[in-house]
Amino acid sequence: MALEDDIMRRRLLIDGDGAGDDRRINTLLRNILKFACANPESSDAEDVHNQYQKIMFSLGQARFSAEKISGIYSMNVKEQRNYDKQGKEIERKIEEAFEKIDSCKKEFIQAKRVRRNRQEYDSLAKQIDKHPERLLTTAKTEQLEKELRQHAETKQLLDNKLDLRKKQLHVLVHTLHELKGLLEDDDSALLLGKDEEPAENPISPVPSTDNSPMDIN
């Protein structure tokens, strides 16, 4: 790269983009002055012709250098405009790239949010699937409450029946105790009657009780 820059610099110096251009102009001016100040009568015609040829050659070189410099200048202007255009295009593309990057960032953040929401939704759906539906749960709850009421009513009926059986048993035990007492009293009276009265006295019958067997059902 440094070698190419050196070659371009030398070409520009040779083509007249520097001190060489001034030197050629100065040489051209000296030749013109010398040609103008020369006396046609005393000067050799061949020398005058040679000076004229040198002046025309120098003018041709100057014209060529001017046209070349003008062409280089025009080319540089076009290149500068092209570079400016390309620079603006590059800036526009850079801005579009930044806008696209910002849009991609927003889309990425939105995608992350959607993915997080979807994961939360899936987790909630799995948790919901583990539990029965509300209508089914309500129906089961009502069924259980109904069964509990039925069990409570059955328990109350059994408790009432048990209390009744306890009372009947108590009455039966009390009646048996009374009957036992009466039988003991009758036995004692019979024994005393045998000791005091003759054998021909009949034995008095056992008094009957009005207590009938109780229905314990």
Side-chain angles (χ1 to χ4, degrees):
M1 189 69 182
L3 181 61
E4 293 179 359
D5 293 340
D6 190 20
I7 293 172
M8 291 298 296
R9 190 180 297 108
R10 288 180 182 180
R11 286 181 178 177
L12 290 173
L13 290 175
I14 292 172
D15 290 339
D17 189 10
D21 193 14
D22 293 336
R23 186 169 58 251
R24 280 193 293 270
I25 292 173
N26 291 329
T27 302
L28 176 63
L29 290 174
R30 283 196 302 268
N31 291 330
I32 291 173
L33 289 174
K34 186 178 179 180
F35 180 78
C37 295
N39 188 359
E41 296 179 357
S42 61
S43 300
D44 188 4
E46 186 176 354
D47 291 337
V48 173
H49 181 72
N50 290 334
Q51 290 178 0
Y52 176 75
Q53 293 295 328
K54 288 181 180 179
I55 291 172
M56 294 305 293
F57 181 74
S58 297
L59 285 173
Q61 285 184 338
R63 188 180 294 109
F64 177 76
S65 296
E67 290 177 357
K68 187 176 181 180
I69 291 172
S70 177
I72 293 173
Y73 174 76
S74 299
M75 183 183 67
N76 289 334
V77 171
K78 291 180 180 179
E79 289 295 327
Q80 183 65 36
R81 291 177 180 174
N82 187 25
Y83 290 152
D84 292 339
K85 183 179 180 181
Q86 291 181 357
K88 292 180 181 179
E89 183 68 17
I90 291 172
E91 290 179 356
R92 184 183 64 80
K93 289 183 178 180
I94 290 173
E95 292 178 356
E96 291 179 355
F98 277 114
E99 291 177 356
K100 189 173 182 179
I101 290 172
D102 292 336
S103 177
C104 291
K105 286 182 179 179
K106 293 179 181 179
E107 291 178 357
F108 179 71
I109 294 173
Q110 181 67 20
K112 286 179 64 178
R113 185 181 297 112
V114 171
R115 182 180 179 184
R116 184 174 62 252
N117 293 335
R118 186 174 298 171
Q119 290 177 349
E120 293 177 356
Y121 172 79
D122 292 338
S123 178
L124 289 174
K126 290 180 181 178
Q127 293 295 329
I128 291 172
D129 290 338
K130 292 180 180 178
H131 299 284
E133 297 180 358
R134 184 172 182 180
L135 295 176
L136 182 60
T137 305
T138 304
K140 288 184 177 180
T141 303
E142 293 177 354
Q143 182 66 25
L144 290 175
E145 290 178 352
K146 183 178 179 180
E147 291 179 358
L148 287 174
R149 288 194 298 268
Q150 291 177 353
H151 289 314
E153 293 175 357
T154 303
K155 183 177 178 297
Q156 184 66 34
L157 291 175
L158 292 175
D159 290 338
N160 294 334
K161 193 171 183 179
L162 181 61
D163 291 337
L164 180 61
R165 293 295 184 267
K166 287 181 179 179
K167 292 178 180 179
Q168 291 176 350
L169 182 60
H170 179 71
V171 172
L172 180 60
V173 171
H174 181 69
T175 303
L176 291 175
H177 280 294
E178 290 182 350
L179 182 57
K180 183 179 178 182
L182 292 175
L183 292 174
E184 290 178 352
D185 292 339
D186 291 341
D187 291 338
S188 299
L190 289 174
L191 292 174
L192 290 175
K194 288 180 180 180
D195 292 337
E196 295 177 355
E197 296 179 356
E200 63 271 6
N201 290 331
I203 298 173
S204 61
V206 179
S208 63
T209 60
D210 297 331
N211 292 327
S212 60
M214 298 181 64
D215 185 12
I216 61 174
N217 293 327

